[in-house]
Amino acid sequence: MSAEAADREAATSSRPCTPPQTSWFEFLLEEQLLEQHLRKPSPDPPPVQLIVQFLEQASKPSVNEQNQVQPPPDNKRNRILKLLALKVAAHLKWDLDVLEKSLSVPVLNMLLNELLCISKVPPGTKHVDVDLSSIPPTTAMAILLYNRWAIRTIVKSSFPVKQVKPGPPQLNLKEQAADSILVLEGALKLNKDLYVHTIRTLDLLAMEPGMVNGETESSTAGLKISAEEIQCQVCYDLGAIYFQQGATNAALHENAKEKFFKTRELIAKIGSSSLHCTIDEERLAGYCQACGVLTSSDDDASQQATPYSQIDNCLKTGNYQDLVKIFLEDNLALSLPVQFRQSVQRELFQNALQGNDALEEVCFKICVCNTVRDILQGEIIDVQFCLLFLKPNKEKIDFLLEACSRSINLENASESLKRKMASFLKNLCLGLEDLQLVFMISSHDLFIKLLKDDERKLLIDEMRKRSPRINLCTKPVTSFYDIPASASVNIGQLEHQLILSVDPWRIRQILIELHGMTSERQFWTVSNKWEVPNVYGNVILGIKDNLTRDLVYILMAKGLHCSAIKDFVHAKQLFAACLELVTEFSPKLRQVMLNEMLLLDIYTHEAGPGANGERPPSDLISRVRGYLEMRVPDIPLRQVIAEECVAFLLNWRENEYLTMQVPLPLVQTNPYVKLGQLLAATCKELPGPKESRRTAKDLWEVVVQICSVSNQHKRGNDGRVSLIKHRESTLGIMYRYLFLNIVNDITAEYISIWPSSIPNLQSVDFEAVAVTVKELVNYALTINPNNHFWLIIQADIYFATNQYSAALHYYLQAGAICSDFFNKMVPPDVFTDQVIKRMIKCCSLLNCHTQVAILCQFLREVDYKTAFKALQEQNSHDAMDSYYEYIWDVTILEYLTYLHHKRGETDKRQIAIKAIGQTELNASNPEEVLQLAAQRRKKKFLQAMAKLYF
């Protein structure tokens, strides 16, 4: 993770607090709060949860003086709660899809009964006896909503069996089905616009219950729902109930078909994007298809263009080739429901089991089509597909690849779809035992486009583990040129294999075949991922023999790549093969490979035994020294090798060599050795006498020069940090000499050894310094996350960059580590006055003003001015009066008592009085008692802060 990403993560994960969830009773206290809450982008609690809370509270039974349970009282509180629930439903535009999804049947039944009540439908009235045309439109709409819900509930077979919570008596919806059907059929004849209640109309009805009449209808009209929208919803619901009840009644299926086709016509008329008419068009299409199969149709010709009718015709006529084509096309169009596609597959498999052998191939192809569709939609692979692929063959793989290619448009597909398809193909390869079938997939154009080079390489590595291969290490006698080449295949396939292979013997074999097929190509250019440093490239590309040039370049490029991704085993094999090759004709390249293998051995040790603190073998240390002292002319050298060698010696405390034994000409000519010597000398003498300041001053001057904008020395892209890494002492030194006295907001451990000023401060590259320090401290904390000095430094960095919640996180973490999570006193050299003042500033800028006042007590001299000013702030984002129990300073508590009395805040004043009245805070107590009381409150407060910011 980069420093910037870590900054963002720390800043976002350490916020002081999230706004508390609004409680249901707050909406009773503030009239406008509900509408303000519902207008939020993501209100918490969400609207449907508010409905449940309001109705739960309104339906709570009461207990009389004889301890007898009584029905919920019909008082003002409960009426307001019911009204609030209706308002939330009105905000949701009475969308039954939303309400049914989130509310249980009893709760929704209670809500709709309240809607009927406020819409002036007398209790006990049979809706079938009501003339919808003669009542106000909002009343008619309430009756329609209730009966539509009753029908939908029956269709979903979700019958309310028992009363879960107290509330209005529930109706037996199953018995009411006939009446609800008649009500909805009557609504189809109404053919007029209706209105549904809005928040405003509900408010008017609540204030003046007698307003719903002909004279005041305009003021309580509500939200208009057109006649077409009403008919569309009613037709769909009636069609669903007729379809469900028509298992033994063909006439009901005809009625269902009529209603569904009418729904489709209305949708075409009003548009599928209607705000008040949301129909599941995929389910509607399934209903229409099912009705078309179950009933005869006079308009079959008009349906021929639909996929459903085409599939039906294919099944009837046995035209399975077109059936497969329709399924493949639908993998892109996504017009057929998954359930429908699976039902077709099941029908075909059932027919095949009955002895129709001709269906075996089409069953496989339809199963493949459905499986590819499932994969792209993130579903698991069907068991039937796995069974069919127990014995894969070329024909099956060919069709599978065709289905995959025709099911995804790579130009327009999202990255998510591409990754799903790539993962499927990769797992398919891993599940195949026949390498020829694997090659069919891995050489396919879709596979090459979907998987990156690294992924293909890792896949080949996995495959190689399951098959025998020649290992360079087990054949030391065999010369690299003695392996025969196999028969060639086409150039494209060989190039693809060349990209994926990390086996040096296979790479040579492929190149021999390629050069035998054409002499015009430069195969080291096949992949743009193959890169070697420019200092090496010029030498390698100067090799006259084309095969040798390609082989050396590719072996080195692949070896460097494997080293970069920490695949050290393959890197060593590739480098060893390259070393054997170049030894025969180029001493210069031989030395280059020896240098790269030294760097590889350093990386291997640091990532392996070195990570556990195991010292490197003496021969590796000798090779590192030998590299630094090497004086072979005309050898191309990479800067990073010198950097890593110096870092290696510093990391393993080879300070004696760097300070006393390193040849003087090497120090004078190699700037990395010079810097390493200064670092080693400074580390060696710490802590030491005043004479150590001389080496520290020399180091300081060098580093200031490195970090200056006017620096004339060239610096590579590897950065300034690459010279030292991994170890605590050098990291600490690097941090201190880079940042100390440049940014005054940073704490320092060895400040006394450094110069007190920088002569040419304006020349310092502060951005480079800041980035370097962040990287160093981040890495230092991965080595020792419990070092409280580094934690304070990390906090100082966040403080200096205005990331206050992250700064508090690390200040508190440093204190927690030193005090057994604040069960002991935090040492004064950790929570110094400077640290406490920065914590105070962080809390102040985060608007946590009560925390500011409490922290003011932690200073050696209590800062009453800052504490009183903070307590005067009324817009505080912390727990405010809940923190009063952590205040031990009586003067601050007395000020709080006065302040709340002045503001008329009686409750908060009582909390402050209670806090000040505790006997352990009595000024007459012995000092030990007062100190113990203060320490106990410090502990509890810091633990509460830690829970908040950790």
Side-chain angles (χ1 to χ4, degrees):
M1 182 185 294
S2 68
E4 291 79 4
D7 291 352
R8 288 195 300 271
E9 180 180 352
T12 55
S13 64
S14 307
R15 289 171 181 157
C17 57
T18 55
Q21 188 183 70
T22 309
S23 298
W24 62 269
F25 63 85
E26 295 181 58
F27 298 98
L28 289 171
L29 304 176
E30 187 175 344
E31 185 177 351
Q32 303 300 324
L33 181 59
L34 180 63
E35 292 186 50
Q36 295 171 5
H37 181 80
L38 294 174
R39 281 197 294 267
K40 293 179 181 178
S42 299
D44 185 18
V48 288
Q49 187 178 336
L50 280 178
I51 293 176
V52 174
Q53 291 178 1
F54 291 148
L55 293 180
E56 276 185 349
Q57 296 300 323
S59 61
K60 278 188 176 180
S62 60
V63 180
N64 61 16
E65 296 179 357
Q66 288 75 35
N67 205 26
Q68 296 174 331
V69 178
Q70 302 292 319
D74 185 19
N75 54 27
K76 182 178 180 181
R77 169 189 174 276
N78 286 350
R79 287 195 296 272
I80 293 176
L81 284 170
K82 293 174 183 178
L83 179 65
L84 290 173
L86 292 172
K87 284 185 175 183
V88 177
H91 169 76
L92 298 174
K93 296 183 173 58
W94 300 99
D95 189 336
L96 288 178
D97 290 329
V98 175
L99 296 173
E100 289 171 339
K101 182 179 180 181
S102 305
L103 300 179
S104 64
V105 172
V107 172
L108 189 47
N109 182 34
M110 184 178 177
L111 178 71
L112 293 175
N113 271 294
E114 290 302 326
L115 175 64
L116 292 172
C117 182
I118 203 168
S119 300
K120 305 308 174 189
V121 178
T125 302
K126 293 194 70 173
H127 297 170
V128 70
D129 297 332
V130 177
D131 182 5
L132 296 179
S133 62
S134 64
I135 60 176
T138 50
T139 307
M141 193 64 197
I143 291 175
L144 282 184
L145 274 172
Y146 185 88
N147 286 278
R148 281 187 58 218
W149 168 72
I151 291 294
R152 289 159 66 104
T153 305
I154 294 166
V155 171
K156 294 179 180 178
S157 301
S158 300
F159 306 116
V161 178
K162 62 180 180 179
Q163 184 79 18
V164 180
K165 297 183 183 297
Q170 291 190 345
L171 300 175
N172 189 324
L173 296 177
K174 196 170 184 179
E175 293 179 0
Q176 190 189 333
D179 287 349
S180 293
I181 290 173
L182 292 174
V183 170
L184 296 186
E185 287 285 4
L188 291 178
K189 302 173 185 177
L190 190 60
N191 197 25
K192 75 171 186 177
D193 300 341
L194 296 181
Y195 294 83
V196 68
H197 280 303
T198 62
I199 293 178
R200 172 169 172 74
T201 61
L202 289 170
D203 279 333
L204 292 172
L205 287 174
M207 289 187 295
E208 302 179 43
M211 287 186 65
V212 182
N213 52 54
E215 297 179 357
T216 60
E217 184 178 324
S218 61
S219 63
T220 59
L223 182 66
K224 179 181 176 181
I225 312 293
S226 69
E228 290 82 7
E229 290 174 318
I230 294 168
Q231 289 180 344
C232 184
Q233 293 172 326
V234 170
C235 280
Y236 182 79
D237 293 335
L238 283 173
I241 191 68
Y242 287 149
F243 186 88
Q244 186 198 54
Q245 296 180 347
T248 57
N249 191 329
L252 285 176
H253 272 144
E254 287 289 347
N255 288 344
K257 179 179 178 180
E258 176 189 350
K259 293 297 186 289
F260 287 133
F261 280 88
K262 179 67 173 177
T263 303
R264 200 160 62 180
E265 292 174 7
L266 289 166
I267 289 176
K269 183 176 180 181
I270 64 179
S272 59
S273 60
S274 170
L275 294 176
H276 314 302
C277 180
T278 54
I279 301 295
D280 187 343
E281 293 188 54
E282 189 171 279
R283 183 179 291 272
L284 174 62
Y287 273 133
C288 290
Q289 173 66 18
C291 289
V293 172
L294 292 171
T295 63
S296 59
S297 175
D298 296 331
D299 58 343
D300 285 341
S302 64
Q303 300 180 49
Q304 292 301 313
T306 67
Y308 298 94
S309 56
Q310 292 175 3
I311 290 172
D312 188 40
N313 288 335
C314 289
L315 291 173
K316 289 177 180 177
T317 61
N319 186 0
Y320 298 122
Q321 185 175 355
D322 285 352
L323 179 66
V324 173
K325 180 181 178 183
I326 293 170
F327 270 62
L328 284 174
E329 291 173 351
D330 186 68
N331 278 4
L332 280 175
L334 303 177
S335 61
L336 296 173
V338 173
Q339 296 83 355
F340 175 75
R341 291 169 58 113
Q342 291 173 345
S343 69
V344 173
Q345 178 180 320
R346 284 193 296 271
E347 181 179 344
L348 289 170
F349 272 90
Q350 288 171 2
N351 293 338
L353 289 174
Q354 293 172 4
N356 191 343
D357 296 334
L359 288 178
E360 183 177 342
E361 181 181 355
V362 71
C363 285
F364 168 76
K365 290 185 175 181
I366 292 298
C367 182
V368 167
C369 292
N370 285 343
T371 299
V372 173
R373 166 84 173 263
D374 289 341
I375 289 160
L376 294 176
Q377 293 190 334
E379 302 293 334
I380 60 174
I381 296 177
D382 187 71
V383 176
Q384 197 69 48
F385 174 83
C386 299
L387 293 174
L388 291 172
F389 250 81
L390 287 176
K391 295 182 179 179
N393 53 39
K394 181 180 182 299
E395 290 72 25
K396 288 183 177 180
I397 296 294
D398 274 336
F399 180 78
L400 176 63
L401 291 172
E402 178 188 357
C404 291
S405 300
R406 293 178 61 178
S407 300
I408 185 170
N409 187 338
L410 292 179
E411 293 181 0
N412 302 324
S414 65
E415 285 301 317
S416 174
L417 283 180
K418 292 178 182 178
R419 298 315 303 162
K420 288 173 183 175
M421 181 66 79
S423 178
F424 168 67
L425 293 175
K426 185 165 63 174
N427 291 331
L428 185 65
C429 287
L430 292 172
L432 294 172
E433 296 181 0
D434 190 334
L435 295 182
Q436 290 185 344
L437 299 181
V438 173
F439 184 73
M440 283 180 63
I441 299 173
S442 63
S443 60
H444 193 273
D445 186 57
L446 178 66
F447 186 91
I448 295 171
K449 290 179 179 178
L450 286 175
L451 272 78
K452 300 176 182 177
D453 291 348
D454 293 343
E455 292 175 306
R456 295 199 295 272
K457 182 195 81 64
L458 291 173
L459 175 62
I460 297 301
D461 288 346
E462 288 290 326
M463 299 300 300
R464 184 181 290 108
K465 291 176 183 177
R466 304 184 319 189
S467 59
R469 61 184 177 90
I470 298 173
N471 191 316
L472 180 62
C473 301
T474 62
K475 298 271 186 177
V477 180
T478 307
S479 171
F480 192 65
Y481 281 111
D482 291 342
I483 299 177
S486 64
S488 63
V489 290
N490 68 71
I491 292 179
Q493 292 175 337
L494 283 173
E495 288 180 341
H496 178 57
Q497 293 179 42
L498 184 64
I499 291 173
L500 297 181
S501 180
V502 289
D503 188 329
W505 305 98
R506 178 59 182 153
I507 291 169
R508 174 201 168 265
Q509 187 179 28
I510 294 171
L511 283 173
I512 290 174
E513 293 185 29
L514 286 171
H515 278 274
M517 299 169 73
T518 176
S519 59
E520 299 177 356
R521 294 285 303 277
Q522 295 180 329
F523 292 105
W524 63 270
T525 64
V526 166
S527 173
N528 58 7
K529 302 291 185 180
W530 294 340
E531 296 179 353
V532 299
N534 291 334
V535 290
Y536 299 162
N538 296 332
V539 179
I540 296 172
L541 297 181
I543 298 174
K544 295 182 179 180
D545 181 72
N546 292 342
L547 173 59
T548 305
R549 179 198 61 214
D550 287 345
L551 188 53
V552 172
Y553 189 97
I554 293 172
L555 289 173
M556 178 175 282
K558 285 178 175 285
L560 291 171
H561 174 73
C562 288
S563 176
I565 63 173
K566 301 187 184 304
D567 183 1
F568 300 128
V569 173
H570 284 123
K572 191 160 190 174
Q573 292 176 3
L574 291 160
F575 281 167
C578 192
L579 175 63
E580 180 183 353
L581 178 61
V582 300
T583 298
E584 300 183 7
F585 66 89
S586 175
K588 184 181 295 187
L589 284 176
R590 177 181 180 277
Q591 187 60 53
V592 165
M593 292 313 305
L594 289 173
N595 296 343
E596 288 297 330
M597 293 185 76
L598 170 63
L599 181 60
L600 179 64
D601 288 342
I602 291 174
Y603 287 156
T604 304
H605 178 79
E606 294 292 339
N612 299 320
E614 183 179 329
R615 280 191 62 81
S618 56
D619 68 311
L620 180 56
I621 295 175
S622 298
R623 288 167 60 201
V624 169
R625 293 181 181 180
Y627 175 83
L628 293 174
E629 299 172 12
M630 180 178 62
R631 287 292 176 272
V632 182
D634 301 326
I635 298 297
L637 299 175
R638 277 212 296 158
Q639 173 181 307
V640 67
I641 302 180
E643 295 175 358
E644 292 293 343
C645 284
V646 173
F648 180 82
L649 294 174
L650 285 168
N651 290 341
W652 296 106
R653 311 294 200 281
E654 292 294 317
N655 296 336
E656 195 69 28
Y657 171 77
L658 287 170
T659 56
M660 305 294 293
Q661 300 174 17
V662 64
L664 182 61
L666 180 60
V667 176
Q668 295 172 342
T669 57
N670 192 321
Y672 303 106
V673 175
K674 173 64 177 177
L675 181 58
Q677 185 184 63
L678 291 171
L679 281 168
T682 307
C683 291
K684 183 179 177 182
E685 296 176 8
L686 275 178
K690 291 184 178 180
E691 288 73 17
S692 64
R693 296 184 182 180
R694 180 177 182 83
T695 56
K697 182 175 181 293
D698 293 340
L699 176 61
W700 176 275
E701 291 175 352
V702 169
V703 173
V704 169
Q705 184 182 11
I706 291 173
C707 296
S708 296
V709 179
S710 59
N711 177 38
Q712 298 299 316
H713 298 285
K714 291 187 178 180
R715 299 194 295 267
N717 293 330
D718 295 309
R720 310 179 185 90
V721 189
S722 60
L723 271 175
I724 51 157
K725 59 182 181 179
H726 301 312
R727 296 297 179 263
E728 297 177 11
S729 61
T730 51
L731 276 168
I733 294 297
M734 192 67 168
Y735 155 71
R736 293 178 184 91
Y737 74 64
L738 278 177
F739 223 140
L740 210 52
N741 292 342
I742 296 177
V743 178
N744 293 325
D745 286 330
I746 302 298
T747 307
E749 188 176 355
Y750 295 110
I751 192 170
S752 61
I753 69 171
W754 307 114
S756 58
S757 62
I758 298 177
N760 195 14
L761 185 61
Q762 65 273 14
S763 66
V764 175
D765 185 350
F766 288 101
E767 182 179 357
V769 172
V771 170
T772 303
V773 171
K774 285 183 181 180
E775 293 289 344
L776 284 166
V777 176
N778 283 337
Y779 192 83
L781 288 173
T782 64
I783 297 170
N784 185 0
N786 295 328
N787 187 306
H788 61 270
F789 279 113
W790 289 346
L791 290 168
I792 292 291
I793 292 167
Q794 182 75 297
D796 289 341
I797 292 172
Y798 282 122
F799 179 83
T801 54
N802 304 326
Q803 299 179 68
Y804 302 113
S805 59
L808 281 170
H809 170 90
Y810 284 100
Y811 284 134
L812 290 166
Q813 188 174 340
I817 286 170
C818 297
S819 61
D820 189 20
F821 197 68
F822 305 114
N823 285 304
K824 300 176 184 177
M825 183 181 295
V826 180
D829 61 337
V830 177
F831 272 9
T832 63
D833 270 11
Q834 184 184 37
V835 169
I836 296 297
K837 286 178 180 178
R838 289 175 185 169
M839 293 173 69
I840 289 171
K841 185 174 180 181
C842 289
C843 292
S844 177
L845 291 170
L846 292 170
N847 288 330
C848 298
H849 301 296
T850 316
Q851 295 173 8
V852 169
I854 296 173
L855 284 171
C856 287
Q857 303 173 111
F858 283 68
L859 297 168
R860 294 183 183 179
E861 297 291 335
V862 179
D863 188 352
Y864 291 113
K865 181 179 178 181
T866 302
F868 293 168
K869 184 178 179 182
L871 293 172
Q872 290 172 10
E873 296 285 346
Q874 295 189 0
N875 184 26
S876 188
H877 292 174
D878 55 25
M880 300 181 70
D881 50 298
S882 298
Y883 281 146
Y884 290 179
E885 61 178 301
Y886 304 134
I887 301 176
W888 64 88
D889 189 279
V890 176
T891 305
I892 294 178
L893 287 171
E894 288 174 343
Y895 180 78
L896 271 172
T897 306
Y898 159 76
L899 192 64
H900 290 316
H901 174 73
K902 182 179 177 181
R903 293 175 180 170
E905 297 170 340
T906 307
D907 293 342
K908 293 183 179 180
R909 181 172 177 270
Q910 289 301 320
I911 296 173
I913 291 173
K914 181 180 178 181
I916 203 173
Q918 297 178 83
T919 55
E920 59 185 354
L921 297 183
N922 193 314
S924 301
N925 288 335
E927 184 64 25
E928 294 81 4
V929 175
L930 294 174
Q931 288 292 335
L932 185 62
Q935 188 56 37
R936 186 181 298 116
R937 285 161 174 76
K938 284 182 180 180
K939 166 191 167 182
K940 291 183 178 179
F941 173 69
L942 290 172
Q943 287 176 342
M945 289 279 283
K947 291 178 182 177
L948 187 62
Y949 289 95
F950 281 4

